[in-house]
Amino acid sequence: MFSRRNGAALDDRREGPFANPRDVTPDQCLIVRLGHGANCSSVGSVVDTLFVGATVGGAILAAVCAAMKHEPVTVVRQRPAKDSTVADGADKKSEST
Amino acid sequence: MIVRFERWGAWVKTETVPALVALDRDGVRALGLDGGAVWREESHEASPPIEVHLAVTSRCGAGCEGCYLDAKADGVEPPKATIERALDALAEAGVFTVAFGGGEPTLRDDLGALAEAARARGLAPVVTTSGLGLGPRKIEQLRAFAQVNVSYDGAAEAYENVRGFDGSAAAETAIAKLAAAGIKVGVNVVLTRKTFAMTKATIRRAASLGATEVQLLRYKPQGRARSLDYLAKRLSAPQAGSLGALLRELAAEHEGRLTVRIDCALVPFLSADPELAARPKDLQRWGVLGCEAGEKLGATRVDGRVAPCSFTAVTALHVEQLASGWSREPSLAPFRAYAAAPPEPCASCTLRDVCKGGCKVVSDYATGGIGPDPECPRVRAHATSAPHAP
Ligand code: SF4
Ligand code: SF4
């Protein structure tokens, strides 16, 4: 399901342009922090991942990428970005940033 | 999963594999999403925080010596409707995770309902408790949280050294009961000079009780801990310098069974570890976050006023104006400006983009302002080697 917080319309990710989301690749993940992060008093960062080998690290990234492909999406933003919406097509040409 | 568009792509919070991901624009497009106006406008305004600590009470009967909020048994407990409005504001701002704190949050009878209220707004609620007085009803209330952490600084002597009383038995019982109830439980371990050597034993004990995560925290000079006593309790220079080695040992010992985390204020200590200091890109990639006060992190007190983090002074901004006021609040600007361009030795530090100049609470305690963290091993070495005026 595709939804937007704060009362905006609901859509269905499994229909229309969301029918076939492409795989996210690990190199497109600039930062991956495992866990929920916050703590009562300060930011918490997982550090085990700093010491895992390339194989385990790769498996973690692959699991996170797979989760992104399959989980329902809720879009949030601080201002009602009225035209921040679905791409014209999942295969729309990418721009590098 | 939750997606928040940013200039560079989007923050994504996944649930099935709990993680926070910064995804570039190509990755966002692969998901069939487009940042639209957020990508086109190229705004350089500060984005709202990703995580906010929400003080839901300032009541607490524990009386820990080092309480950073000076919480008391007769503290303030805002009405449920006030907390719900704060949750509305966090959702509106695009915050991902709300950390319920206090005071002792479990003193609230409506804590479970507030966690549900956070979830209903798409926020992931987490909570930290002392574990004191945690009976079956309160444990049920905690089931609504994505993560529950119990403050546990070690067995009797270690606990007492950090907090001034021995609450270890209550904390240990709470860890075991939460784990037995199937609630994911972690422990918060504050590192002090006297307890540092016991850290491995403390974590072994917590793991044996069912904890699946440990968060190591630096002792900070704030609230009741903002006293001369802080100087005796903070880690010694050799202890701070050995943090990287300790983390390596903990990760190896508990691999696959217990997750090891550090707090933002411990990140500067990694500069003494040659192997970690040489891998800033890996630290960034795996989401090690240093001082995010006023950036990815914000905090609110019981009166609703917003602070850059739980330990820093409040600003004039009220949480209900978070979405519109976060980027413009003048008191947050010095935190951001310093992190963007810190002076030496932070300016040339390999960890600068991760650490962001160290803990501002400690620098404020030591120097009266924002500056390089005086307890950072690299800052200490720089101070020693710098030429002094005749
Ligand atoms: S020198 Fe500055 S940026 Fe580098 S680790 Fe120390 S406090 Fe952080
Ligand atoms: S000032 Fe920065 S490093 Fe210190 S506790 Fe706050 S967010 Fe963490």
Side-chain angles (χ1 to χ4, degrees):
Chain A
M1 191 210 307
F2 173 72
S3 62
R4 192 189 296 281
R5 268 189 205 157
N6 310 327
L10 296 180
D11 205 341
D12 193 326
R13 190 175 181 224
R14 300 288 161 231
E15 293 173 2
F18 291 118
N20 294 302
R22 285 177 287 135
D23 287 330
V24 173
T25 57
D27 61 295
Q28 291 166 335
C29 302
L30 306 172
I31 295 173
V32 176
R33 189 187 57 172
L34 299 180
H36 294 289
N39 191 266
C40 72
S41 58
S42 41
V43 170
S45 304
V46 171
V47 288
D48 317 50
T49 38
L50 295 175
F51 307 113
V52 299
T55 312
V56 176
I60 293 170
L61 290 172
V64 172
C65 288
M68 282 192 282
K69 187 175 176 185
H70 297 295
E71 287 188 18
V73 176
T74 299
V75 173
V76 299
R77 188 63 177 138
Q78 71 273 28
R79 55 205 147 110
K82 52 186 181 305
D83 49 354
S84 298
T85 183
V86 299
D88 297 339
D91 57 352
K92 184 176 169 183
K93 188 175 179 302
S94 299
E95 297 161 21
S96 53
T97 52
Chain B
M1 77 188 170
I2 301 171
V3 174
R4 192 175 92 180
F5 296 124
E6 301 287 345
R7 268 186 305 122
W8 39 264
W11 284 113
V12 178
K13 187 172 190 306
T14 52
E15 289 298 325
T16 49
V17 180
L20 175 71
V21 183
L23 198 58
D24 71 11
R25 289 188 179 190
D26 287 344
V28 177
R29 288 192 186 102
L31 294 174
L33 301 168
D34 186 290
V38 176
W39 287 359
R40 281 199 307 276
E41 284 171 11
E42 295 286 348
S43 162
H44 287 269
E45 278 190 351
S47 281
I50 294 167
E51 300 175 357
V52 168
H53 304 143
L54 183 67
V56 294
T57 179
S58 64
R59 286 171 63 208
C60 182
C64 302
E65 276 179 6
C67 177
Y68 65 93
L69 280 178
D70 198 16
K72 298 198 171 74
D74 60 353
V76 177
E77 188 169 292
K80 184 165 173 249
T82 304
I83 304 289
E84 287 172 338
R85 282 201 304 279
L87 294 172
D88 283 338
L90 301 188
E92 185 198 356
V95 170
F96 286 3
T97 303
V98 55
F100 284 42
E104 172 52 50
T106 61
L107 289 178
R108 287 194 73 112
D109 288 334
D110 55 5
L111 189 66
L114 287 174
E116 296 291 0
R119 284 194 183 276
R121 289 160 174 80
L123 300 158
V126 299
V127 69
T128 302
T129 173
S130 67
L132 298 172
L134 216 57
R137 196 176 54 83
K138 297 225 182 251
I139 285 177
E140 266 321 293
Q141 290 200 333
L142 292 175
R143 205 176 281 286
F145 287 90
Q147 166 90 34
V148 178
N149 271 27
V150 176
S151 299
Y152 179 64
D153 306 310
E157 191 197 337
Y159 192 109
E160 183 164 3
N161 182 266
V162 176
R163 293 176 194 269
F165 70 100
D166 178 13
S168 61
E172 290 181 357
T173 304
I175 297 163
K177 282 184 178 170
L178 286 161
I183 295 170
K184 184 171 157 50
V185 58
V187 289
N188 282 5
V189 179
V190 177
L191 303 178
T192 65
R193 191 167 302 193
K194 275 201 179 155
T195 61
F196 188 76
M198 302 173 217
T199 307
K200 282 193 265 185
T202 297
I203 294 169
R204 254 175 234 139
R205 174 82 180 129
S208 75
L209 293 164
T212 56
E213 181 177 290
V214 59
Q215 164 125 352
L216 302 177
L217 297 132
R218 185 167 166 190
Y219 190 70
K220 303 177 194 74
Q222 193 51 284
R224 289 201 278 271
R226 196 177 170 92
S227 67
L228 282 179
D229 196 34
Y230 169 76
L231 298 176
K233 282 198 165 174
R234 66 181 178 175
L235 294 185
S236 67
Q239 287 171 333
S242 67
L243 180 70
L246 174 65
L247 298 178
R248 211 171 270 112
E249 287 173 28
L250 290 173
E253 181 179 342
H254 298 282
E255 187 184 350
R257 293 185 302 276
L258 177 132
T259 305
V260 181
R261 306 197 314 179
I262 58 171
D263 83 339
C264 42
L266 285 172
V267 172
F269 298 166
L270 303 183
S271 65
D273 189 287
E275 195 259 336
L276 291 174
R279 297 167 53 205
K281 294 267 178 279
D282 286 343
L283 269 70
Q284 265 187 310
R285 182 80 192 285
W286 288 113
V288 175
L289 301 177
C291 186
E292 292 291 345
E295 299 202 63
K296 296 185 188 73
L297 177 66
T300 74
R301 301 283 157 75
V302 278
D303 63 0
R305 290 215 286 159
V306 172
C309 82
S310 305
F311 295 90
T312 47
V314 289
T315 69
L317 181 65
H318 193 277
V319 64
E320 290 177 30
Q321 273 77 52
L322 189 72
S324 58
W326 177 257
S327 64
R328 290 197 287 267
E329 168 54 43
S331 320
L332 297 173
F335 287 84
R336 295 170 187 152
Y338 174 82
E344 290 294 357
C346 300
S348 59
C349 175
T350 55
L351 296 184
R352 169 187 153 174
D353 291 341
V354 177
C355 172
K356 303 203 166 177
C359 182
K360 316 304 181 271
V361 175
V362 177
S363 79
D364 182 60
Y365 171 81
T367 68
I370 294 178
D373 189 326
E375 294 171 19
C376 162
R378 183 178 155 86
V379 174
R380 279 185 202 266
H382 180 79
T384 312
S385 63
H388 293 284

